[in-house]
Amino acid sequence: MEMGDKAVGLVLTMTSLSIFTYYTFWVIILPFVDDDHFVHQYFLPQEYAIFIPVFAGVVLLSFLSIFIGLVMLKSKKKKDA
C-alpha cells in the first residue's frame, strides 16, 4: 500500500507543478510575447486568467460552506437526541 501512496503523491505533485508552470507562463510571460507568435495558440485569452481562479475559488468556498453547514446540522441533531 505504501507504493500506491507514493504513486498518488507523485501524480498529484506533477499535476500541480504542471498547472503552476502553465499558469505562470500564461500570466507573467505571455503578455510580453508578440500577439502573432505561434505560442499564443496554446493559451486561452487573458480574461480567463482571472475568471478561472475566481470561479474555482467560489466553487471551493461554496462546497466548504455546505460541508461545514451539514456537519453543524448533524452535530446539533446528535446533541438533541
Side-chain angles (χ1 to χ4, degrees), residues 5 10 27 34 37 64 76 79:
D5 292 342
L10 179 65
V27 172
D34 291 333
H37 198 273
L64 284 173
K76 185 177 179 181
K79 193 183 250 186

Side-chain angles (χ1 to χ4, degrees), residues 38-78:
F38 76 93
V39 77
H40 278 278
Q41 70 185 1
Y42 299 112
F43 296 92
L44 293 172
Q46 287 293 93
E47 297 84 33
Y48 290 104
I50 300 299
F51 176 73
I52 292 172
V54 168
F55 180 75
V58 168
V59 169
L60 178 67
L61 286 175
S62 297
F63 281 128
L64 284 173
S65 299
I66 290 170
F67 176 75
I68 290 171
L70 289 174
V71 168
M72 289 173 61
L73 285 174
K74 286 184 180 182
S75 175
K76 185 177 179 181
K77 285 181 185 179
K78 193 183 267 188

Side-chain angles (χ1 to χ4, degrees), residues 10-36:
L10 179 65
V11 168
L12 289 174
T13 302
M14 295 309 292
T15 302
S16 299
L17 186 61
S18 298
I19 291 171
F20 175 77
T21 304
Y22 180 87
Y23 187 78
T24 301
F25 189 82
W26 182 25
V27 172
I28 296 175
I29 297 173
L30 201 63
F32 299 108
V33 177
D34 291 333
D35 289 336
D36 58 345

